[in-house]
Amino acid sequence: MKAAEQLARGRRLIRDLRTRLQGDPAGRSAAKVTLGAGLTALGVLWGVGDAATLLVGGLIAAGLVVLGRQLEPADGLPPLSLRHGEGLHGHRHLIAYAAALAVAGYALVNMVASLALAIGGALLLRAGWAERTDPPSRGLVTDVQRLLQGAERDVRRALTQAPASGRHD
């Protein structure tokens, strides 16, 4: 199969899936609720581990800063200044400070990513829930199943048929 044909099939599949989502507001809102709940749960679970990583990382970073203070040369220059000709031995304190910054930064970035997952998931959950009709939880599972079954048919059709028929089951 040529790359152009595969690309055309992929475009048809995306178009079919987009049409299916637009034509099924109940399924779309159910998918938002389900995906939002999953992302929120994932963010919270990772956040618990990342909070521990942040705490341990902070302690390690603090220890490295104390180590860097102990390694600073006593020549009266500012602690972060480079000393030419002293090599690695004369800059051990800077290495300790850089390691402290790296450890703290790593832990902080992980925590921010977990928070972003949880917040993004909660926003998606709220948006999907607001789109649901009264009562919002009724039919949630069947709406998601119907949407996924239709999407599965679209994928199968895209993989087995050359031209797209444009119709949806």
Side-chain angles (χ1 to χ4, degrees), residues 14-59:
I14 290 171
R15 186 180 59 243
D16 289 348
L17 291 174
R18 185 178 297 137
T19 302
R20 183 168 300 284
L21 276 173
Q22 290 171 349
D24 189 1
R28 185 178 55 241
S29 67
K32 284 182 183 179
V33 168
T34 305
L35 184 60
L39 288 176
T40 302
L42 185 63
V44 168
L45 289 175
W46 274 354
V48 169
D50 289 339
T53 300
L54 186 62
L55 177 65
V56 170
L59 291 172

Side-chain angles (χ1 to χ4, degrees), residues 2-16:
K2 294 181 179 178
E5 187 178 334
Q6 289 179 347
L7 188 60
R9 281 185 177 190
R11 286 182 180 146
R12 281 192 306 264
L13 175 60
I14 290 171
R15 186 180 59 243
D16 289 348

Side-chain angles (χ1 to χ4, degrees), residues 80-157:
L80 297 180
S81 64
L82 293 175
R83 292 157 175 80
H84 297 288
E86 293 196 24
L88 192 59
H89 181 73
H91 297 100
R92 292 179 299 176
H93 64 292
L94 295 177
I95 294 169
Y97 292 148
L101 186 62
V103 168
Y106 173 79
L108 188 61
V109 166
N110 281 340
M111 190 65 194
V112 168
S114 295
L115 287 173
L117 265 178
I119 292 170
L123 291 174
L124 189 61
L125 175 67
R126 189 177 91 188
W129 205 256
E131 292 175 9
R132 302 287 298 160
T133 57
D134 292 337
S137 62
R138 178 168 294 162
L140 183 70
V141 173
T142 57
D143 288 343
V144 170
Q145 285 176 335
R146 183 184 65 250
L147 183 68
L148 291 176
Q149 287 170 350
E152 179 185 15
R153 284 191 298 270
D154 289 343
V155 170
R156 285 178 193 257
R157 184 174 38 246

Side-chain angles (χ1 to χ4, degrees), residues 64-73 79 93 96-97:
L64 287 168
V65 167
V66 169
L67 177 65
R69 293 269 179 174
Q70 298 299 316
L71 295 174
E72 284 179 6
H93 64 292
Y97 292 148

